[in-house]
Amino acid sequence: MDTRMKLNEVIPDGYKALYPLEAFLSKSELTGTHKDLIKIRASQINGCAFCIDMHTKEARKAGETEQRIYALNAWRETPFFTEEERAILALAEETTLIQHHVASETYNKAIELLGEKYTALVIMATISINAWNRIGISTHMMPPLN
């Protein structure tokens, strides 16, 4: 598969418009681990090879375990994730697969475990990675060979 246009070169201002959201999220209370889990899981669902490659490498560098990364697509079937992480992953999945809507049970569990502000940050982080995934997928961004 060949890379299509480089969106950042064709419309750099449009591409850069996503940066302030990333800057906001990087300064928020959302933990690095939670951001990594959201980015990897949404990218797996969307099938964005570029983002999966990038964010799994970042997660490893930040100390995430291979076991948890490998099991992330089957997180419900493992004991590797905390109750809070499970709520985050469920919300990220349903926000990514938005055509099925976010179930009240999922939303309410996130609010109960995380609070309103942290849940809002999870939603915003999911929206952000979904935007990046859509850029990567539509333009065939390829992960580097290394």
Side-chain angles (χ1 to χ4, degrees), residues 40-111:
I40 296 167
R41 187 64 192 120
S43 299
Q44 288 174 332
I45 291 167
N46 289 323
C48 184
F50 183 87
C51 290
I52 293 168
D53 181 71
M54 177 193 312
H55 298 303
T56 55
K57 287 176 181 172
E58 290 173 350
R60 280 185 194 98
K61 192 173 184 179
E64 187 56 78
T65 67
E66 296 291 319
Q67 184 178 44
R68 282 172 37 110
I69 291 170
Y70 296 149
L72 193 52
N73 65 336
W75 63 269
R76 285 180 180 85
E77 313 305 322
T78 74
F80 308 145
F81 301 93
T82 68
E83 189 176 12
E84 290 80 9
E85 289 169 339
R86 289 174 178 282
I88 289 166
L89 289 166
L91 184 58
E93 285 184 357
E94 291 181 25
T95 303
T96 297
L97 298 167
I98 201 68
Q99 71 271 21
H100 303 296
H101 300 269
V102 174
S104 293
E105 179 183 345
T106 302
Y107 176 82
N108 292 335
K109 187 68 168 180
I111 293 292

